[in-house]
Each structure stands twice: as C-alpha cells, then as structure tokens.
Amino acid sequence: MINFPKKQLPTKSNKKLNYEFYLGIPFYLMIVILVLIPIGLMLLYAFTTDANNLVSIRFTFDNFIEFFVQPTFLSSMLESVYLSLISALICLLIAYPLAFILSRRKLVTQKILVSLITSNMFINSLLLAYAVRSIFEMIGNTFFNDSRYLLGTDLAIITGMVYLYLPFMLLPIYTHMAKLDKNLFESAEDLGANKYQTITRVVIPMSLSSVLTGFMMVFLPASTTLVITRYLGDGKRKMIGDLIDLAFKSGKFGYGAAIALVLAVILLIFVYLIKKLDKYEGVLANED
C-alpha cells in the first residue's frame, strides 16, 4: 500500500510571515527606487565616461583622478571633513550630557524640554541660517564696525552647523538613554560604583550605538551643506557641497558622483572606527 504524503496546512507562523512580506512590499519598492537605483546611477557616472550614451560608454578613473590632482578640490574636501567633524564633536559634547539629564527627569518634563530643544527642526533651514547670520552681523557692527567681519570664519560656520544639526544628535542619544533600565544604576551602586564609574563603565559603553547614529546624522548633512556656506560662509569658503552643486550645474555628473563617493568612503571609515568601540550594540533593557 502506497502512503501518499499529506498536504501540510499553513501554520500561523507561515501566515504571519506571508502577511508581513506583503505589508513590506511598498517599503521594498521605496528602497529600490530611492536607494538602490540612485546608488547604481552614481556608480555608473563615477566610473564611466559618457554614461548618457550606452553605446560609447567606457570604464575610467578619470573622474577620481581629476578630483585628487586638483589642490583646490582636495583642500575643499579636507576643509569640509574638518569643519563637519568639529561641528559633530561639539554637538556630541552638548547633546550627550543634556540627553542624560533629560532621561533622568519626569516624563512630562522630558517631553516639554525635548520639544523646546528640537523646535528648530520644524523651521526652514534657510530662515535658521539667516537668523544666525543676522546675529554675527550685529556682533560685527558692534565690535568691529563691519557687519561681514565674522562671516566666512570657522566660528560662524561651525556655530551655524551646531545650531542647525544639534537636535539630530540629541534625539537618538536621548531615545536610547530613556530606554535604559533604571535597575542598571542601582546594580552599579550596589556593587560599589560611584556616579562617575557608573557613567563611564555602564552608560557610555551601552550608548555608543546611539552616538554613532547621531554622529552620522550630523556629519553627513554638515559636510554637504549648501545653506551654511551660502549664508554664513559669505562666499569666502567652498566646501564639498558647493563642489558637487557646481559639478552638476556644469553638467559634469561623473565628477560630482566621484566627489560624493569619496565623501561616502570617508564617512564609512568614521562609522567603522566608531563601530569598533561599540561592544554593546543593540543591548537595551526595558524595551517592553
């Protein structure tokens, strides 16, 4: 007698898996359209000549060579990385203790203070940059009899970056610290750790992943900004965002794509270095 295999009925887990897959289809389409295709086009333009004509397309490194052999372009890249790195570090020095203090307050107080601190995220960046410019113009008129004396300096540009991007550093760190299990602090105290040791050995190691997120959210837009250099740089400083904008306006898409790729590699290096320090990635208690 031949025993035919019985047809297996779909289990609840399989139904749930199929249900989640279908719900995720719009997300997958957005990833393909807004992420994968633009990255593919950027790689195509950066490593080829005449990418608009598939018949005469040719692989080349000329776009990268042109960037690295031009001292002005290379100095703009280094200046962008320098100013963005300083701005991100200042944002971190301000946001980290502020996030820790906020996470230890009452829930109502947290909501009010976070709303006040992040309120400038709902204001147009052009208005914010122009407001900072007006402050530097008033200071220049008062102390130097020249409204444009401070515009274009490191102080003006870094101040503008910190003012615009500080909330992007604060929010991920605060969100992470607010979810830390309060029993961790009591356990550290029971084991004989003082407040300084608790912060350095418990809080900081477990919050490095949020620091990485905040760093990326500040460093990347700061290094490619056009608003800050236009209003606070006063035309005296050319950063990497200005080079990319100039390349696309002049029709040199391959050159602009090559610049963007170089900047992306630099950012990935920073991400890798910070990741190496994160021994507690994804460790969160009190998530339920």
Side-chain angles (χ1 to χ4, degrees):
M1 181 176 180
I2 301 175
N3 294 324
F4 293 97
K6 296 181 179 180
K7 185 178 179 180
Q8 293 183 351
L9 296 176
T11 61
K12 290 184 178 180
S13 60
N14 291 333
K15 289 182 178 179
K16 182 179 180 181
L17 186 62
N18 293 333
Y19 184 67
E20 292 178 349
F21 172 78
Y22 290 123
L23 283 179
I25 288 178
F27 172 75
Y28 304 143
L29 291 176
M30 295 294 288
I31 290 294
V32 172
I33 296 172
L34 299 180
V35 178
L36 297 181
I37 293 179
I39 290 177
L41 290 175
M42 186 172 65
L43 291 171
L44 178 65
Y45 278 108
F47 288 101
T48 59
T49 58
D50 199 12
N52 293 322
N53 188 354
L54 296 179
V55 178
S56 60
I57 195 171
R58 181 173 59 87
F59 180 83
T60 182
F61 286 105
D62 291 345
N63 295 318
F64 295 92
I65 295 174
E66 182 181 357
F67 172 75
F68 284 107
V69 298
Q70 294 290 340
T72 304
F73 299 152
L74 190 58
S75 63
S76 297
M77 170 66 79
L78 296 176
E79 185 175 20
S80 298
V81 174
Y82 164 73
L83 292 174
S84 304
L85 182 60
I86 296 299
S87 301
L89 291 176
I90 293 176
C91 287
L92 176 60
L93 292 176
I94 297 174
Y96 197 91
L98 182 58
F100 179 76
I101 294 173
L102 289 175
S103 66
R104 306 295 291 173
R105 295 293 182 265
K106 295 180 179 179
L107 185 59
V108 176
T109 306
Q110 291 182 31
K111 292 181 179 179
I112 294 174
L113 293 178
V114 171
S115 299
L116 291 175
I117 296 171
T118 59
S119 59
N120 66 338
M121 296 177 64
F122 305 100
I123 303 175
N124 188 279
S125 58
L126 292 175
L127 296 177
L128 296 175
Y130 194 81
V132 178
R133 176 190 174 97
S134 299
I135 294 175
F136 278 104
E137 286 179 343
M138 288 189 294
I139 296 175
N141 275 327
T142 304
F143 297 99
F144 306 103
N145 295 322
D146 185 0
S147 62
R148 307 175 75 174
Y149 183 83
L150 294 174
L151 297 179
T153 61
D154 289 357
L155 176 64
I157 294 175
I158 292 175
T159 301
M161 288 181 176
V162 172
Y163 178 61
L164 261 70
Y165 302 121
L166 178 62
F168 296 96
M169 179 70 76
L170 175 67
L171 283 178
I173 299 177
Y174 161 74
T175 302
H176 189 106
M177 287 189 174
K179 293 181 179 180
L180 288 178
D181 193 344
K182 302 301 186 290
N183 293 326
L184 290 173
F185 301 94
E186 298 178 1
S187 300
E189 185 178 352
D190 292 339
L191 293 173
N194 54 36
K195 292 183 179 180
Y196 173 79
Q197 292 173 328
T198 302
I199 293 175
T200 55
R201 296 187 180 184
V202 178
V203 178
I204 292 179
M206 295 189 66
S207 60
L208 281 179
S209 58
S210 62
V211 171
L212 171 62
T213 302
F215 183 88
M216 289 190 296
M217 293 178 67
V218 173
F219 180 81
L220 183 58
S223 58
T224 58
T225 181
L226 290 173
V227 175
I228 299 297
T229 53
R230 185 168 300 172
Y231 285 89
L232 297 173
D234 201 33
K236 303 174 185 176
R237 311 289 286 271
K238 294 294 183 183
M239 296 178 62
I240 199 65
D242 300 285
L243 295 183
I244 297 175
D245 182 59
L246 181 62
F248 285 124
K249 285 182 177 179
S250 59
K252 301 176 68 174
F253 298 106
Y255 181 64
I259 298 174
L261 284 177
V262 172
L263 183 63
V265 170
I266 294 175
L267 179 64
L268 289 175
I269 291 174
F270 281 119
V271 171
Y272 173 78
L273 294 176
I274 298 177
K275 279 279 189 181
K276 294 291 288 184
L277 299 175
D278 189 3
K279 300 178 181 179
Y280 299 93
E281 182 182 2
V283 177
L284 267 180
N286 197 26
E287 284 187 329
D288 44 27

